[in-house]
Amino acid sequence: MAEPKTKYDRQLRIWGELGQSALETASICLLNCGPTGSEALKNLVIGGIGSITIVDGSKVEIGDLGNNFMVDAKSVGQSRAKTVCGFLQELNDSVKANFVEENPDTLISTDPSFFSQFTLVIATQLVEDSMVKLDRICREANVMLVLARSYGLTGFVRISVKEHTAIETKPDHSLDDLRLNSPWPELKSYVESIDLNVEEPAAHKHIPYVVILVKVAEEWAQHHSGNLPSTREEKNEFKDLVKSKMVSADEENYKEALLSAFKVFAPTGISQEIQDINHDSCAEVGSNSSDFWVMVAALKEFISNEGGGEVPLEGSMPDMISSTEHYINLQKIYHSKAEADFLSMEQRVKSILVKVGQDPSSISKPTIKSFCKNARKLKVCRYRTIEDEFKSPSTTELHKYLADENYSGAIGFYILLRAVDRFAGTYKKFPGQFDGSTDEDASQLKTIALSLLSEMGCDGYELQEELYNEMCRFGAAEIHVVAALIGGITSQEVIKLITKQFVPKRGTFIFNGIDHKSQSLTL
């Protein structure tokens, strides 16, 4: 067996050892191992998930050979759960693989306690009633749930958890935490020790932009009643002041300073989103509070005391043109400040844990350090129950989507994916599922969809006429290419939830294979 660090080298670079450890200790339950479920689970097995349990009561049929790579001709007539489980086990022998030969709908109704043993449940190809029941069960057991379905050329993915907190959200764009507009004493002292008017050209060309901007910002503030630039005119004047310090046109460090001048204009203090998290009712911690909210309580105290209105410093520095000496000195200053902030946070976390009757060492140093490094980027996601969304969707959002031509396909498929379940409940088959004309099915499906729209408070709206015919043409088939896409997105969201890194999708993700669009609907 390959060593984990070698085996999972590429993904370790994305979510690190903490993320990989979370994956390796997670247990996943998959309901229905058709192509959608098999593709989702395949990605997780390759990624090193701890254990999987497949629940499926069906047998492998000839039709499965055309859309599911986890079965073969030899397995026709055998248990689909057992067959898929065997194929997946071959992909990664480090993963514990189990299967249960039972219909998921039956299990949901007869043995709800079965699901409490898992970290997360992936439920694929369930009808509406089963989704509502399973969501209720998982929420009561505090088990994460991801619902997924592929249906012809469309499909959806929907996360359902009471609350998901993420520390390492890894945003695509984030401002470097350099504190150029609010330098602490050690940084200010070091900057003051450097002369921008040094005569040696090589030395002048290797003054890092951090030093240049802090010095120029200080000079600006002295002549503007202690204020930094705020208007467009002032910001342009500030850049002119930076330019005036150049002694030759080829000084790349000053060009960097001009490009990074916006970092001086960035607002100080904490963002509104972090303020909202700090003032969340969960930040008033007790004996049952999660590690995240204990650290938020400590952060709140830190900001009001040592932080002086700021979160702990991240401590990292971007690359920049600089002499080796200047860069290393700045690195040490930033690292020392970040370490001091971490130690203060660590003491506050331990103090709070003792106060609420928890073990003061229950939150590890790496976890607190990660929290400090990412304190500007925390996220709290809360999701409506499936039942609430189905019974009382946001009429404001519904009207907005129905009136927006850009969302006509996504909202149309959202409505019709619910309508086909009602159709199946009435006619004991999905629209267009059997041979023959689909005209009657399309007409009946339209009647059900309009009735559903009326229930949702959207009388007078019409869906695109061709969508009814398309849903009938699909005949509830799982097309492999769509199943692979929906399964891939499902596994991606599962990884986000388990590692608590990146930000999971909000609302219901809809794939529209006809128009080649992917959109999320928040209802």
Side-chain angles (χ1 to χ4, degrees):
M1 188 187 300
E3 287 295 321
K5 284 191 176 180
T6 305
K7 190 174 187 176
Y8 304 122
D9 175 63
R10 290 186 179 181
Q11 61 203 51
L12 279 167
R13 301 180 199 189
I14 300 172
W15 51 69
E17 291 188 19
L18 281 176
Q20 188 62 33
S21 176
L23 284 176
E24 290 174 6
T25 54
S27 58
I28 303 293
C29 176
L30 171 70
L31 303 186
N32 290 316
C33 56
T36 307
S38 296
E39 287 291 334
L41 212 51
K42 174 205 70 179
N43 299 329
L44 296 171
V45 166
I46 290 171
I49 204 75
S51 67
I52 60 169
T53 299
I54 298 173
V55 179
D56 194 318
S58 58
K59 304 294 184 184
V60 178
E61 299 176 358
I62 293 292
D64 292 324
L65 304 181
N67 64 4
N68 193 339
F69 287 142
M70 299 300 149
V71 299
D72 59 15
K74 296 177 184 176
S75 59
V76 172
Q78 298 178 17
S79 162
R80 189 162 72 171
K82 181 179 180 180
T83 302
V84 171
C85 188
F87 271 86
L88 290 173
Q89 183 76 81
E90 288 179 16
L91 295 176
N92 191 342
D93 56 10
S94 300
V95 176
K96 296 176 184 174
N98 308 290
F99 63 92
V100 176
E101 293 181 59
E102 189 165 352
N103 185 299
D105 295 319
T106 304
L107 194 62
I108 291 167
S109 299
T110 61
D111 190 9
S113 62
F114 170 82
F115 299 98
S116 62
Q117 62 185 294
F118 301 106
T119 307
L120 184 146
V121 174
I122 301 173
T124 66
Q125 308 304 106
L126 293 186
V127 295
E128 186 171 311
D129 288 346
S130 293
M131 285 193 283
V132 170
K133 289 176 187 174
L134 181 61
D135 184 39
R136 200 180 298 130
I137 291 165
C138 288
R139 282 177 180 256
E140 286 175 3
N142 205 27
V143 173
M144 296 180 283
L145 173 64
V146 180
L147 299 160
R149 187 177 190 178
S150 63
Y151 194 105
L153 293 177
T154 186
F156 75 82
V157 178
R158 165 71 149 83
I159 293 168
S160 186
V161 294
K162 289 179 186 176
E163 175 186 277
H164 176 73
T165 55
I167 295 172
E168 295 186 55
T169 54
K170 305 181 190 290
D172 292 334
H173 304 288
S174 179
L175 196 64
D176 297 315
D177 190 13
L178 297 176
R179 311 279 168 98
L180 302 181
N181 48 13
S182 57
W184 59 97
E186 291 80 4
L187 177 60
K188 193 179 285 189
S189 175
Y190 181 72
V191 167
E192 287 172 355
S193 71
I194 298 172
D195 183 9
L196 290 188
N197 298 316
V198 62
E199 292 184 4
E200 175 59 43
H204 198 265
K205 288 179 180 179
H206 288 86
I207 299 172
Y209 78 75
V210 167
V211 172
I212 297 168
L213 290 176
V214 171
K215 270 191 170 294
V216 175
E218 179 66 25
E219 182 181 336
W220 174 279
Q222 287 175 358
H223 295 90
H224 293 82
S225 306
N227 297 317
L228 290 172
S230 57
T231 66
R232 177 184 246 177
E233 292 74 18
E234 288 179 338
K235 290 174 183 178
N236 286 332
E237 287 175 24
F238 180 87
K239 290 180 181 179
D240 289 338
L241 184 58
V242 173
K243 284 181 188 175
S244 72
K245 308 295 181 182
M246 297 176 71
V247 295
S248 65
D250 65 342
E251 293 187 309
E252 296 297 327
N253 56 333
Y254 276 86
K255 292 178 183 178
E256 277 189 341
L258 288 168
L259 290 172
S260 301
F262 70 94
K263 297 175 184 178
V264 175
F265 317 142
T268 57
I270 59 176
S271 67
Q272 185 60 52
E273 189 166 15
I274 301 303
Q275 289 182 48
D276 291 342
I277 290 173
N278 283 342
H279 293 111
D280 193 288
S281 59
C282 292
E284 301 299 323
V285 294
S287 58
N288 295 320
S289 294
S290 67
D291 291 353
F292 178 87
W293 288 110
V294 168
M295 290 188 287
V296 167
L299 177 66
K300 197 173 176 180
E301 290 182 3
F302 177 91
I303 291 169
S304 301
N305 294 281
E306 303 95 327
E310 296 276 6
V311 299
L313 185 74
E314 287 184 25
S316 57
M317 277 183 58
D319 290 336
M320 62 187 72
I321 293 168
S322 169
S323 67
T324 302
E325 180 185 0
H326 285 328
Y327 192 81
I328 290 174
N329 286 336
L330 282 172
Q331 270 189 325
K332 288 178 180 176
I333 291 167
Y334 275 88
H335 181 266
S336 295
K337 167 66 172 165
E339 186 66 19
D341 287 354
F342 157 69
L343 292 173
S344 296
M345 274 287 291
E346 185 183 29
Q347 288 305 310
R348 291 194 174 279
V349 167
K350 287 182 176 180
S351 174
I352 290 169
L353 285 169
V354 169
K355 196 184 300 181
V356 299
Q358 295 189 37
D359 180 359
S361 61
S362 61
I363 303 179
S364 68
K365 284 190 176 188
T367 301
I368 299 172
K369 189 159 277 190
S370 175
F371 185 90
C372 291
K373 188 174 181 180
N374 294 282
R376 296 185 303 140
K377 309 160 191 170
L378 307 175
K379 289 280 185 184
V380 176
C381 305
R382 294 186 174 111
Y383 297 82
R384 295 187 74 188
T385 66
I386 302 298
E387 187 172 23
D388 283 348
E389 179 178 318
F390 285 171
K391 284 188 174 179
S392 55
S394 168
T395 51
T396 303
E397 292 300 307
L398 259 177
H399 285 288
K400 183 183 81 174
Y401 293 135
L402 286 163
D404 187 342
E405 188 178 333
N406 190 45
Y407 278 90
S408 60
I411 192 63
F413 280 130
Y414 176 87
I415 300 295
L416 289 171
L417 283 166
R418 292 187 60 191
V420 294
D421 288 343
R422 295 193 178 190
F423 184 104
T426 302
Y427 299 104
K428 310 306 176 190
K429 70 176 184 97
F430 286 100
Q433 194 167 23
F434 302 121
D435 294 338
S437 172
T438 60
D439 293 345
E440 185 179 356
D441 283 1
S443 175
Q444 291 165 340
L445 180 62
K446 181 176 181 178
T447 301
I448 292 171
L450 292 176
S451 173
L452 183 56
L453 279 168
S454 179
E455 286 177 27
M456 299 166 86
C458 297
D459 284 309
Y461 283 100
E462 291 275 353
L463 302 182
Q464 293 178 17
E465 197 69 30
E466 61 268 24
L467 292 184
Y468 300 114
N469 294 320
E470 288 295 336
M471 292 300 281
C472 293
R473 192 168 68 87
F474 298 159
E478 286 184 83
I479 301 170
H480 181 263
V481 66
V482 177
L485 185 143
I486 296 295
I489 291 167
T490 300
S491 56
Q492 169 185 282
E493 297 309 303
V494 168
I495 289 170
K496 291 177 186 178
L497 291 169
I498 291 174
T499 62
K500 296 196 171 185
Q501 296 182 26
F502 301 94
V503 182
K505 290 186 181 298
R506 308 286 184 97
T508 303
F509 169 87
I510 301 286
F511 172 67
N512 175 353
I514 296 173
D515 295 333
H516 309 290
K517 280 186 180 179
S518 298
Q519 294 168 305
S520 289
L521 307 176
T522 306
L523 297 169

